[in-house]
């Protein structure tokens, strides 16, 4: 996917671009690489944490909804089309029925998106993106820091950072009780 820097794309034009080896997000009318350079591309901690969260959340989500890795979401940011690609997404069957089976971007805001800080990214950059998700209608965003072994939960109230065996729960995610230690142990990152 290559785009001329002189012209803005519509969302439809972005979606029609050919697929390639690089994951792009649609931001301000441009196809923007999710990972800006090799330094930012996911490494072992990122990949294993993504896998661990997928396993843990998928077990909880049985018959409730779907958990998807790197699924683009059609949202609006600053009155413009925005299509981010979070590391993980959870959407209930109430928001998107179980019989919805189209090979396309998520058409509605999910209950939860998870962003895992990649090498070369800062917590501040991802926190800003979390705020954009909230403004776009996603009610809960987790920012996972594999180095600090924390999960910061962003909702309409102040963010809360969870460490060690602190239990993460949310009324939007009924029955889910998970700790950072459980996530990082499943990922093989806790000694």
């Amino acid at each position: 996917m290559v785009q001329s820097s002189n012209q803005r794309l519509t969302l439809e034009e972005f979606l029609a671009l050919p697929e390639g080896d690089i994951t792009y997000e649609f931001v301000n009318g441009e196809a923007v690489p999710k990972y800006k350079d090799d330094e930012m591309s996911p490494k072992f901690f990122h990949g294993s944490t993504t896998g661990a969260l997928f396993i843990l959340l998928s077990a909880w989500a049985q018959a409730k909804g779907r958990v998807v890795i790197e699924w683009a979401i059609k949202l609006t940011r600053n009155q413009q089309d925005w299509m981010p690609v979070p590391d993980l997404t959870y959407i209930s069957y109430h928001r998107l029925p179980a019989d919805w089976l189209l090979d396309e971007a998520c058409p509605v805001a999910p209950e939860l998106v998870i962003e895992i800080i990649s090498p070369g990214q800062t917590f501040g950059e991802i926190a800003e993106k979390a705020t954009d998700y909230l403004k776009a209608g996603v009610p809960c965003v987790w920012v996972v820091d594999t180095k600090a072994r924390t999960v910061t939960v962003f909702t309409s109230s102040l963010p809360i950072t969870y460490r060690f065996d602190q239990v993460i729960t949310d009324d939007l995610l009924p029955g889910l009780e998970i700790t950072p230690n459980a996530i990082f142990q499943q990922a093989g990152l806790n000694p």
Side-chain angles (χ1 to χ4, degrees):
M1 178 183 299
V2 178
Q3 177 197 344
S4 165
S5 60
N6 301 4
Q7 75 181 56
R8 293 256 189 246
L9 297 173
T10 65
L11 180 59
E12 292 74 25
E13 291 169 332
F14 170 77
L15 292 171
L17 291 172
E19 290 189 29
D21 294 338
I22 299 171
T23 301
Y24 287 87
E25 296 181 315
F26 184 65
V27 180
N28 297 326
E30 296 182 19
V32 178
K34 180 170 176 166
Y35 305 107
K36 311 281 187 276
D37 54 40
D38 286 342
E39 181 184 324
M40 283 181 64
S41 70
K43 306 287 190 281
F44 172 68
F45 285 7
H46 187 284
S48 61
T49 303
T50 301
L53 281 161
F54 179 78
I55 290 167
L56 294 168
L57 292 174
S58 291
W60 161 79
Q62 294 257 330
K64 293 180 181 105
R66 49 178 63 98
V67 178
V68 183
I69 296 172
E70 290 202 350
W71 187 20
I73 305 169
K74 290 182 182 178
L75 298 171
T76 302
R77 185 180 84 163
N78 303 325
Q79 288 94 33
Q80 293 185 20
D81 289 327
W82 178 43
M83 190 172 295
V85 182
D87 294 311
L88 287 115
T89 300
Y90 165 73
I91 188 162
S92 72
Y93 292 139
H94 296 292
R95 287 191 182 209
L96 194 62
D99 62 356
W100 183 90
L101 291 173
L102 299 174
D103 191 22
E104 60 184 44
C106 183
V108 297
E111 282 89 345
L112 172 68
V113 299
I114 300 174
E115 291 284 357
I116 301 167
I117 300 172
S118 295
Q121 290 178 318
T122 66
F123 180 84
E125 290 169 335
I126 302 302
E128 184 177 332
K129 190 173 186 180
T131 301
D132 288 338
Y133 280 122
L134 295 174
K135 289 177 184 174
V138 177
C140 188
V141 181
W142 292 4
V143 174
V144 180
D145 186 333
T146 61
K147 290 182 181 175
R149 305 290 197 269
T150 61
V151 177
T152 301
V153 176
F154 290 79
T155 61
S156 59
S157 53
L158 291 174
I160 299 172
T161 299
Y162 293 85
R163 292 176 170 76
F164 310 114
D165 286 320
Q166 293 177 303
V167 179
I168 303 167
T169 61
D170 192 303
D171 292 341
L172 283 170
L173 311 169
L176 178 65
E177 294 185 1
I178 194 167
T179 66
N181 273 353
I183 295 166
F184 296 116
Q185 185 167 358
Q186 178 73 36
L189 301 182
N190 275 357

